[in-house]
């Protein structure tokens, strides 16, 4: 038996398959965020429904649908421990959309599926607002509009291409209104955020560092931030240290930050020199409350809508987690000193080590202090001695040093002698504290990559880095990057451990490495433009737009008025266009209608469907041959203009002649005549 094709399938089956394909496109971007069982069940239901449509089999009974719904709700509760909130709500919407296709019988059911599809399409932006997601959802929007238009064509078998063209014109017609709403609709915080969602689904730096965790980010090529330096005046790559959490408490394996009350307020002990660097940071959502700044920023970054506070360890915090892409300006100095210049009680927290941990490292610290060459040496000499040991002791930089135990510093210095940046920094700080030198770990990002197309520096998760700061009398806190002693190329020369490319990327790189690099740079430049002009279009930029229009001190009220005026103007323009379009609909029929109305006024009511020749015969019978002759001649010319290959005169000439016609005098009536 010949397999059915889209051309041979009944219209109901064809339309159902098209709608199922659109639903699959809507759900596809969420496949990695939905629970595995939800993705599996949704896929199975869509395939089941498509099979029923192709085979023209009846839909499942009501009890099947109820059973699947109960299973889905129970599984949602078991997965999320709630039926409320973003993640649980999205899971239920996706399941309900799939199950609704199992009762897709009447047009009313189809409309419910359409509008559920529109809602499910919006839920994709809860998780990603990237350009790729937006492009896929635009395609899904056109698909849903096509299905909606097709559902309003109940007769025959209209081609989907015809419905798609109509949907495309509808989308284009609505685009100006959407653009105006995007520009002028007041920006508010999203309504769907819930506290349980605040830290979900994000990776990146944390306020703790278990030795080995930064290595997990080393092969993550996702963008963490983009930086644009004023005048493209970027410092050398070796000075690009973007500061994140500062960690000081150590339990032998994990580093954590000091409580805020022990860190104190920031800014008062920062001493800078040289010229400041101005730059703009576009920070990807992290759901963390800190801002990345180039070391060191003396003033709070300018971030509208957030309260920014600092601490004495040069960190900058905001009053809530950054769940959206943000853009802020900052100024930094690459030459600076911070912290107390003389010994103080606040430094004691940076000497603490857990008792009985890393005994061999403690013994190494005593041994180095007992060395006559280091007897009574100051901090710089002790630091150089440790760095010399790293350079000459056979230590190596690797992403896979194995699983470390509880005494991580002992294992690095004496057993494994290899590690990633956090292994090296952690072992370095433990040894410095063992020699009674205050030290701490700073996590953040180092280096980055310049995109030559838009001149933005791109920080990736793979640029995550850990370095150390030691306290030196007379100077304060001084940066030391021990990883540079083990692998100099890691700092300043863009040496990164990269993930092996996939099959397609590997083929492109093998064919032309330069082309692959340029292609990636171009795509990221386009994404950056999307971030800058769409995702980062904030309330402050809306008010700046009003300033450019002419408002001296714009407010949200002014924004609402401008939007209202635009919408009213667009509505009036639409109404005028509708009237104009109506006037353009078959002017010949409109002129014939005027003749109908004029005859009725003269007492002769002719059938609405009467053509000009029939109207002429009726007029002649009613008014007489002589009195109706001019009207009869005009009606015959009107008919010839419509149907003759080369009709006499133009429609404009006939319209002018119509206005000059000597109409017969009104007779008693009105009368409705039929030709004899």
């Amino acid at each position: 038996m010949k397999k059915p094709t889209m051309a041979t399938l009944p219209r109901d089956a064809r339309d159902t398959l098209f709608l199922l394909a659109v639903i699959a496109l809507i759900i596809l971007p969420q496949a990695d965020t939905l629970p595995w069982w939800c993705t599996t069940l949704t896929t199975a239901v869509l395939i089941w429904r498509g099979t029923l449509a192709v085979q023209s089999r009846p839909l499942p009974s009501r009890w099947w649908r109820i059973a699947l719904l109960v299973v889905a709700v129970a599984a949602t509760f078991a997965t999320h421990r709630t039926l409320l909130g973003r993640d649980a709500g999205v899971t239920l919407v996706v399941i309900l959309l799939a199950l609704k296709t199992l009762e897709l019988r009447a047009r009313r059911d189809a409309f419910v599926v359409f509008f559920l599809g529109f809602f499910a399409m919006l839920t994709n932006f809860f998780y990603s607002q990237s350009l790729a997601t937006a492009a896929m959802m635009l395609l899904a929007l056109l698909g849903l509009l096509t299905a909606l238009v097709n559902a309003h064509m109940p007769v025959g078998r209209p081609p989907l291409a015809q419905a798609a063209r109509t949907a495309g014109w509808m989308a284009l017609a609505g685009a100006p209104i959407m653009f105006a709403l995007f520009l002028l609709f007041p920006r508010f915080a999203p309504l769907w955020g819930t506290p349980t969602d605040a830290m979900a689904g994000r990776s990146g730096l944390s306020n703790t560092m278990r030795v080995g965790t930064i290595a997990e980010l080393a092969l993550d090529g996702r963008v963490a931030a983009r930086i644009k330096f004023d005048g493209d005046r970027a410092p050398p790559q070796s000075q690009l240290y973007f500061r994140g959490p500062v960690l000081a408490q150590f339990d032998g394996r994990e580093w954590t930050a000091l409580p805020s009350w022990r860190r104190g307020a920031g800014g008062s002990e920062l001493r800078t020199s040289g010229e400041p660097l101005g730059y703009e940071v576009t920070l990807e959502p992290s759901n963390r409350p800190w801002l990345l700044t180039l070391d060191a920023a003396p003033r709070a970054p300018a971030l509208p809508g957030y309260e920014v506070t600092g601490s004495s360890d040069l960190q900058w915090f905001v009053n809530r987690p950054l769940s959206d892409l943000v853009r802020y300006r900052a100024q930094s100095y690459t030459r600076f000193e911070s912290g107390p210049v003389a010994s103080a009680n606040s430094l004691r927290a940076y000497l603490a080590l857990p008792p009985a941990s890393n005994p061999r490292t403690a013994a190494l610290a005593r041994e180095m202090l007992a060395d006559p060459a280091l007897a009574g040496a100051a901090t710089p000499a002790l630091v150089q001695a440790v760095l010399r040991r790293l350079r000459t002791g056979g230590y190596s930089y690797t992403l896979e040093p194995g699983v470390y135990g509880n005494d991580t510093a002992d294992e690095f210095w004496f057993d494994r002698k290899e590690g990633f940046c956090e292994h090296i920094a952690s072992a370095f700080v433990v040894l410095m504290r063992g020699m009674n030198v205050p030290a701490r770990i700073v996590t953040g990002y180092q280096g980055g990559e310049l995109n030559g197309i838009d001149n933005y520096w791109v920080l990736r998760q793979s640029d995550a880095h850990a370095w150390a700061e030691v306290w030196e009398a007379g100077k304060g806190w001084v940066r030391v990057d021990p990883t540079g002693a083990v692998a100099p190329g890691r700092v300043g020369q863009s040496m990164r451990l990269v993930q092996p490319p996939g099959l397609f990327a590997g083929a492109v790189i093998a064919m032309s490495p330069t082309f692959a690099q340029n292609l990636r740079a171009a795509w990221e430049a386009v994404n950056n433009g999307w971030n800058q002009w769409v995702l980062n279009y904030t309330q402050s930029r809306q008010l700046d737009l009003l300033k450019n229009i002419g408002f001296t001190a714009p407010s949200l009220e002014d924004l609402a008025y401008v939007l209202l005026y635009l919408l009213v103007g667009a509505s009036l323009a639409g109404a005028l266009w509708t009237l104009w379009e109506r006037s353009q609909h078959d002017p010949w029929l409109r002129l014939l209608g005027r003749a109908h109305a004029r005859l009725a006024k003269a007492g002769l009511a002719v059938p609405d469907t009467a053509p000009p020749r029939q109207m002429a015969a009726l007029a002649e019978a009613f008014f007489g041959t002589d009195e109706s002759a001019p009207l009869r001649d005009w009606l015959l010319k009107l008919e010839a203009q419509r149907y003759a290959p080369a009709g006499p005169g133009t429609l404009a000439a006939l319209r002018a002649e119509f206005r000059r016609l000597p109409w017969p005098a009104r007779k008693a009536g009105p009368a409705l005549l039929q030709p004899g």
Side-chain angles (χ1 to χ4, degrees), residues 14 80 182 187 221 226 371 421 466 473 553 598 645 652:
R14 183 204 66 174
H80 302 290
F182 169 77
R187 262 40 180 181
R226 292 180 173 89
D371 186 343
C421 59
R598 192 68 177 268

Side-chain angles (χ1 to χ4, degrees), residues 86-400:
R86 182 193 65 184
D87 294 338
V90 171
T91 301
L92 284 175
V93 166
V94 170
I95 286 294
L96 290 175
L97 175 59
L99 293 180
K100 185 63 182 176
T101 63
L102 294 179
E103 56 178 11
L104 190 59
R105 291 185 175 88
R107 188 195 293 187
R108 181 182 60 84
D109 298 321
F111 289 160
V112 173
V113 172
F114 295 150
F115 294 116
L116 267 176
F118 284 122
F119 189 81
M121 184 175 64
L122 291 177
T123 63
N124 281 277
F125 295 104
F126 292 172
Y127 301 97
S128 172
Q129 298 176 9
S130 68
L131 180 59
T133 300
M136 190 173 292
M137 290 305 100
L138 176 60
L139 187 61
L141 173 65
L142 292 175
L144 277 177
L145 287 177
T146 299
L148 187 59
V149 170
N150 188 62
H152 283 84
M153 298 178 173
V155 179
R157 185 186 171 89
L160 287 174
Q162 179 184 350
R165 283 194 297 270
T166 304
W169 282 113
M170 289 172 58
L172 284 176
I177 298 296
M178 292 299 100
F179 184 67
L181 289 172
F182 169 77
L183 288 179
L184 298 172
F185 196 85
R187 262 40 180 181
F188 299 108
L191 303 177
W192 52 79
T194 59
T196 56
D197 301 327
M199 302 303 290
R202 299 291 182 189
S203 66
L205 296 177
S206 173
N207 58 355
T208 65
M209 187 190 80
R210 181 175 291 271
V211 176
T213 53
I214 291 184
E216 298 173 1
L217 298 177
L219 298 182
D220 188 347
R222 287 179 296 179
V223 174
R226 292 180 173 89
I227 296 90
K228 178 75 169 179
F229 289 96
D230 293 351
D232 297 327
R233 195 166 55 91
Q237 198 175 35
S238 59
Q239 296 181 19
L240 294 178
Y241 283 85
F242 294 90
R243 194 179 194 88
V246 178
L247 312 176
Q249 298 183 135
F250 186 54
D251 64 2
R253 183 175 175 82
E254 184 175 56
W255 290 89
T256 56
L258 287 175
S260 57
W261 62 270
R262 296 186 65 182
R263 289 197 300 263
S268 59
E269 295 183 297
L270 176 62
R271 302 169 294 279
T272 61
S273 60
E275 291 294 323
L277 283 168
Y279 55 96
E280 186 177 73
V281 179
T282 305
L283 188 63
E284 294 288 328
S286 63
N287 274 328
R288 310 293 183 184
W290 52 73
L291 300 177
L292 288 178
T293 56
L294 183 68
D295 262 353
R299 289 184 293 276
L303 181 56
Y306 291 83
E307 295 178 12
V308 183
T309 57
S311 62
S312 61
D313 52 17
L314 306 184
Q315 292 185 81
W316 291 103
F317 300 88
V318 290
N319 56 328
R320 62 181 185 272
L322 296 169
S323 58
D324 297 305
L325 182 121
V326 295
R327 182 168 63 176
Y328 53 90
R329 287 198 55 81
Q331 270 195 344
S332 292
Y333 292 81
T334 56
R335 288 186 289 171
F336 64 93
E337 296 174 357
S338 68
V341 296
S343 182
N345 287 334
S346 60
L347 297 174
R348 300 175 73 178
Y350 302 100
L351 291 169
L353 289 170
S357 72
N358 296 291
R360 288 182 288 172
T361 303
L364 175 61
R366 293 191 295 269
E367 178 185 329
M368 294 182 70
L369 289 175
D371 186 343
L374 296 176
T379 297
L382 297 176
V383 169
Q384 290 304 315
V386 176
L387 294 180
R388 187 164 51 250
R389 183 182 182 91
L390 285 171
R391 282 191 293 267
T392 62
Y395 298 94
S396 61
Y397 173 76
T398 178
L399 185 61
E400 298 178 349

Side-chain angles (χ1 to χ4, degrees), residues 443-461:
T443 59
Y445 297 88
Q446 200 285 319
E449 178 184 5
L450 177 64
N451 188 322
I453 295 179
D454 57 8
N455 288 324
Y456 274 79
W457 283 84
V458 180
L459 291 179
R460 305 182 188 281
Q461 297 297 351

